[in-house]
Amino acid sequence: MKFTIQAVFKRSVTIECDNQTICYAPEEYSVLLDGEERARSTLNVLTVDGLQPDSDYTLSLRTEDGEETQSFHTEAESVLLDVRSFGAHGDGETDDTIYLQAAISACPKDGTVYVPAGTYLSRPLFLKSYMSLWLDEGAVLKGDPDRNHYPLMPGMTKTTDGTCEYNLASWEGNPETSFASLISAIGAEHVDIVGRGHIDGGGAEGDWWQNPKVMRTAWRPNTIFLNHCRHVRLQSITVKNSPSWTVHPYYTDHIGVYNITIWNPSDSPNTDGFDPESCDDILILGTKISVGDDCIALKSGKYYMSQNHHKISDHFTIRNSFLERGHGSVTVGSEAAGGVINVEVAQCIFDGTDRGLRIKTRRGRGPETRYDGVYFHDIIMKDVHMPFTFNMFYFCDPDGHSDYVQNQSFHPVDDKTPTIGTIRAENITCTGADACMLVAYGLPERYIENIVLKNIKVDFLPKSERKPRQTIMMDHFPEMSGRAIYARNVKRLTLENVEITGSDDTEPVLQDVLDYDSVHVSIN
């Protein structure tokens, strides 16, 4: 079986099978390291650990049809620092913050801070450049539940000469004071967080999820916050129970995410899984996310950040991953005033989320708010209520229910009018749909430009098992059940080889769709 070595670390390697199947390989394979079998798997993405730094290895995948072998060399490591040597107890009761931070602060270039099995109660920690944080199997980094033990991170501070701003925190697209995250990296380069251990944000133990939209001293922290960093990699770790967004890369470029797990309770508020904001070059492979809000949400800030610190979010690849529960499997927006472009999501399984591909924006985001080049293909959606929703009247903001945002009449295009460009989806199978297959609602003054759906098969739940649902978060828009296709204010809609079974419709419901092209479309 052919494969690609996607990432080599100091003590581990991640590979991806080269095939077109979704998440799983066509057959079970054996993984051999230097000729010795190390694992058997059916997953398309696999991590092999237990390696030594600065060493040569050969790795083979063997099936009944043959064997494919590649060689690699692990990264060098200057030193391995065990946090217990610095005084960490790992008993789950002692505050281990100073011992953990001492090991991080003492770590030299290309060194590794090693966290062995145990539960390490901690307040916020700050990583630095050219280091690895390794949480071994059985290790749990547990966030202190008391918000009074968390330092405040100011949103914006004027530089001494008054010419610019220093940005340390963000809350839902604005630079507002927030509590420090359990793990932060600020302006760091070449940082790895690896291992089979767990990072527990402590959301369930503290009062983080109480009155979640009320600022109490500061806004809720993330579990991992990567602020203005470069070359950051996450591998194998489990991140869970986040106070708010779980992993939040912010103005951070060149991120690799390999085989990690993100888990939050389904009723935990605004606990998005992975939210890159104003980032460039993100690769997510073999990852499993199950949370209380959007699994993955691509963002680029609100109006202030777009106008004063503009950075478009660009080059996203999400592949061979499992996205479960949550409001949306992969979402673009809504805090994306800087724009989001060039997004490819492929060979993934969406299971039990409210929405599959979810795009959301609204008036007020600004002229740089352009979502374009969004491409979804080769995806299985299981029990996803609404496979595709595109909404330009999103109401979740302090002024989200205002007449300016929600009025469905024509407004003159101004410097706060957003744009949705081309969205393509093909080779997608959906079973257990509920409310709708597609709802697309553009602005009357700026239509959604181009939607292409090709080779799509959707089976709805039986009518007795469905219930009306809110498809798009927009005022005065009715709940839906069994709706096949509803599109309004769209320049061009193309349907090719689309088969919808079990809906209440027999034809698409189209209003102000300027160019509609359909080939082999069946709705019943």
Side-chain angles (χ1 to χ4, degrees):
M1 181 179 296
K2 293 186 179 298
F3 65 96
T4 299
I5 295 176
Q6 290 289 359
V8 179
F9 294 74
K10 296 180 176 73
R11 298 169 180 268
S12 55
V13 61
T14 295
I15 63 169
E16 182 179 30
C17 299
D18 295 337
N19 59 55
Q20 299 303 310
T21 56
I22 297 174
C23 288
Y24 296 98
E27 58 184 316
E28 185 181 57
Y29 58 88
S30 297
V31 181
L32 289 79
L33 193 69
D34 291 341
E36 179 181 347
E37 184 174 287
R38 293 289 299 271
R40 289 178 178 268
S41 183
T42 57
L43 293 170
N44 275 341
V45 181
L46 182 75
T47 292
V48 178
D49 51 20
L51 311 182
Q52 292 300 310
D54 199 16
S55 300
D56 291 316
Y57 290 96
T58 60
L59 191 146
S60 304
L61 296 193
R62 178 185 293 168
T63 66
E64 292 181 356
D65 297 328
E67 185 174 306
E68 175 84 7
T69 298
Q70 295 189 41
S71 299
F72 66 95
H73 188 90
T74 52
E75 292 186 339
E77 180 180 84
S78 61
V79 67
L80 181 71
L81 299 178
D82 188 327
V83 297
R84 288 189 180 259
S85 299
F86 287 77
H89 294 74
D91 58 12
E93 297 180 0
T94 305
D95 184 350
D96 280 327
T97 309
I98 58 173
Y99 314 114
L100 297 167
Q101 190 63 60
I104 293 168
S105 299
C107 187
K109 182 180 179 181
D110 299 329
T112 298
V113 172
Y114 173 61
V115 184
T119 299
Y120 300 82
L121 183 65
S122 182
R123 304 179 189 191
L125 301 172
F126 293 84
L127 306 184
K128 61 181 187 178
S129 296
Y130 295 97
M131 68 161 289
S132 298
L133 177 64
W134 173 18
L135 287 89
D136 206 350
E137 188 167 9
V140 178
L141 181 64
K142 185 70 175 289
D144 188 319
D146 188 343
R147 66 174 57 224
N148 296 311
H149 295 165
Y150 284 64
L152 307 184
M153 304 297 286
M156 280 291 187
T157 303
K158 280 287 186 184
T159 57
T160 303
D161 62 9
T163 60
C164 55
E165 297 173 310
Y166 183 49
N167 180 201
L168 281 175
S170 174
W171 172 258
E172 295 190 348
N174 282 322
E176 299 195 30
T177 298
S178 303
F179 289 106
S181 299
L182 181 57
I183 294 179
S184 294
I186 301 171
E189 301 181 49
H190 297 280
V191 176
D192 291 342
I193 305 175
V194 302
R196 297 182 183 272
H198 289 206
I199 301 172
D200 187 333
E205 284 74 23
D207 62 355
W208 301 114
W209 298 340
Q210 299 172 18
N211 299 318
K213 291 296 188 179
V214 175
M215 182 178 181
R216 288 180 285 162
T217 305
W219 290 111
R220 290 178 287 153
N222 310 129
T223 297
I224 298 177
F225 184 49
L226 308 169
N227 182 358
H228 288 81
C229 297
R230 290 170 56 85
H231 301 289
V232 179
R233 301 185 298 179
L234 311 177
Q235 184 197 53
S236 298
I237 59 169
T238 294
V239 191
K240 61 186 182 181
N241 291 324
S242 185
S244 63
W245 297 354
T246 308
V247 181
H248 184 193
Y250 182 68
Y251 288 82
T252 289
D253 298 341
H254 314 303
I255 302 172
V257 180
Y258 309 97
N259 284 127
I260 77 167
T261 298
I262 296 175
W263 186 92
N264 298 314
S266 59
D267 60 350
S268 54
N270 308 111
T271 57
D272 293 21
F274 190 90
D275 284 16
E277 182 174 356
S278 297
C279 296
D280 189 1
D281 184 23
I282 313 295
L283 175 64
I284 300 174
L285 295 179
T287 286
K288 184 174 183 178
I289 302 178
S290 181
V291 292
D293 207 312
D294 293 325
C295 293
I296 297 173
L298 312 181
K299 301 178 181 291
S300 55
K302 289 183 180 175
Y303 188 77
Y304 179 87
M305 292 304 294
S306 175
Q307 294 301 295
N308 295 280
H309 301 270
H310 178 255
K311 183 179 180 182
I312 196 167
S313 277
D314 195 359
H315 301 111
F316 294 91
T317 301
I318 302 163
R319 195 166 58 240
N320 282 311
S321 291
F322 301 83
L323 306 177
E324 303 174 355
R325 290 194 287 111
H327 297 175
S329 299
V330 177
T331 296
V332 180
S334 79
E335 304 92 345
V340 178
I341 60 174
N342 300 320
V343 178
E344 182 180 13
V345 181
Q347 295 173 261
C348 290
I349 296 176
F350 301 168
D351 189 354
T353 56
D354 292 340
R355 301 162 185 88
L357 169 55
R358 183 187 192 192
I359 292 181
K360 50 186 179 176
T361 188
R362 43 148 289 186
R363 296 184 184 109
R365 288 295 187 243
E368 304 294 343
T369 310
R370 182 175 182 86
Y371 306 163
D372 205 359
V374 179
Y375 181 34
F376 275 52
H377 63 95
D378 298 287
I379 290 170
I380 295 172
M381 299 192 198
K382 299 188 294 186
D383 296 324
V384 173
H385 301 306
M386 301 154 259
F388 304 100
T389 64
F390 312 147
N391 176 19
M392 297 187 77
F393 286 90
Y394 185 64
F395 62 40
C396 282
D397 270 328
D399 66 339
H401 297 284
S402 66
D403 183 71
Y404 168 69
V405 175
Q406 293 299 322
N407 193 307
Q408 297 177 36
S409 301
F410 180 91
H411 280 48
V413 172
D414 59 21
D415 64 353
K416 294 186 179 180
T417 306
T419 301
I420 295 178
T422 294
I423 307 160
R424 291 189 299 147
E426 60 184 67
N427 304 331
I428 296 175
T429 300
C430 312
T431 56
D434 186 348
C436 67
M437 189 276 267
L438 166 69
V439 170
Y441 206 129
L443 293 172
E445 65 268 23
R446 180 157 285 167
Y447 286 15
I448 297 171
E449 292 180 357
N450 188 27
I451 300 171
V452 180
L453 302 181
K454 180 179 179 181
N455 301 332
I456 309 291
K457 184 175 181 179
V458 180
D459 290 329
F460 274 80
L461 290 172
K463 193 167 186 174
S464 61
E465 298 179 23
R466 302 195 309 251
K467 64 179 182 179
R469 295 182 184 274
Q470 180 188 59
T471 56
I472 55 176
M473 299 176 76
M474 168 184 176
D475 288 348
H476 314 300
F477 190 76
E479 293 182 334
M480 290 182 172
S481 174
R483 175 54 47 89
I485 295 170
Y486 177 94
R488 184 172 183 180
N489 300 336
V490 176
K491 282 186 179 179
R492 181 173 177 81
L493 172 63
T494 301
L495 306 178
E496 181 178 348
N497 296 327
V498 174
E499 179 181 342
I500 302 172
T501 304
S503 76
D504 294 340
D505 295 334
T506 57
E507 296 288 339
V509 177
L510 308 179
Q511 186 174 353
D512 296 317
V513 175
L514 301 185
D515 187 356
Y516 171 57
D517 185 18
S518 66
V519 180
H520 302 302
V521 175
S522 171
I523 303 175
N524 56 70

